[in-house]
Amino acid sequence: MLNSFYSKEELNNIGFQKVGTNVLISRKASIYSPKYISLGNNVRIDDFCVLSGKIDIKDFVHIACFCCLFGGDEGIYIGNYTTLSSRISVYAKTDDYSGEFMVNPMIPKEYTNIISKKVFIGDNVIIGTGSVILPGVNIHDGVACGALTLVNRDLESWSINVGIPVRKSKNRSKKLLNLETEFLDKLLIK
């Protein structure tokens, strides 16, 4: 009987740009253009996620079920110790909604205007379920976003953010940095 996650050998055969150690990817995830996807160490990607385009995922990252990451040519960067809760959509590219152009991938490019901008998600970030992250956004280190947040602008480090569109609620505690140091010290001892 097969495990619900790909084996190391199967991950290597998929053709990722890079695969670290202890990478768990559900067999039910959809991976497009794996040669543009880099996976660090201790990465978990759950059922029904879609990864497409240029994506760079660092260490100790969890991407929960039903997340969609559309990196396109510009890409998505996800830093260390970061969590994307379920049903998050991250767009590094999107159609132009102005009405000046036609939309969808079945229309020839001369009739569309695709907007492509890199998305940066820093270290120690947590994004709540159902959130949407739009092209060009920088979510700096330590940011927390509540459920159903529409991230359409850059977010200040160590802040808690909520809403549609996003707004800062308050500052976030940095205590977890002490826990991170303790965690890493214990890893080095092993």
Side-chain angles (χ1 to χ4, degrees):
M1 175 177 231
L2 292 176
N3 187 316
S4 61
F5 294 108
Y6 289 112
S7 70
K8 178 70 173 172
E9 181 180 321
E10 289 170 321
L11 287 173
N12 289 335
N13 289 335
I14 289 173
F16 289 104
Q17 184 178 60
K18 176 190 166 209
V19 178
T21 59
N22 193 33
V23 173
L24 301 172
I25 298 180
S26 168
R27 294 175 185 281
K28 296 177 182 175
S30 296
I31 309 293
Y32 298 92
S33 302
K35 66 183 178 182
Y36 301 115
I37 299 173
S38 176
L39 305 168
N41 300 315
N42 303 296
V43 171
R44 178 175 162 166
I45 299 171
D46 291 341
D47 293 351
F48 311 114
C49 290
V50 176
L51 280 73
S52 175
K54 187 177 176 184
I55 301 170
D56 186 5
I57 300 172
K58 295 307 182 189
D59 299 338
F60 295 98
V61 172
H62 179 221
I63 299 173
C65 60
F66 294 102
C67 285
C68 296
L69 282 66
F70 303 106
D73 296 329
E74 295 297 320
I76 297 167
Y77 173 93
I78 300 175
N80 301 305
Y81 313 107
T82 291
T83 298
L84 302 184
S85 299
S86 62
R87 299 185 184 280
I88 290 173
S89 297
V90 182
Y91 297 93
K93 67 186 270 185
T94 186
D95 282 302
D96 181 327
Y97 283 58
S98 69
E100 299 291 320
F101 301 91
M102 295 179 75
V103 297
N104 90 49
M106 301 310 294
I107 304 297
K109 289 184 181 184
E110 64 264 25
Y111 300 104
T112 66
N113 182 37
I114 303 300
I115 298 161
S116 295
K117 295 179 183 175
K118 183 172 184 163
V119 172
F120 175 87
I121 302 172
D123 295 345
N124 294 299
V125 170
I126 184 165
I127 308 293
T129 187
S131 294
V132 176
I133 300 168
L134 296 180
V137 166
N138 291 298
I139 300 175
H140 295 284
D141 292 350
V143 167
C145 290
L148 303 173
T149 298
L150 174 62
V151 184
N152 61 350
R153 63 175 180 81
D154 293 356
L155 300 180
E156 174 188 327
S157 295
W158 297 100
S159 61
I160 298 175
N161 303 271
V162 297
I164 302 174
V166 66
R167 68 184 185 287
K168 181 179 175 182
S169 172
K170 61 183 180 178
N171 292 327
R172 187 175 184 211
S173 171
K174 293 183 183 179
K175 181 181 177 186
L176 67 86
L177 292 175
N178 296 331
L179 297 171
E180 177 185 323
T181 300
E182 181 183 320
F183 171 69
L184 289 174
D185 288 345
K186 285 183 180 178
L187 277 180
L188 293 174
I189 291 171
K190 289 183 179 179

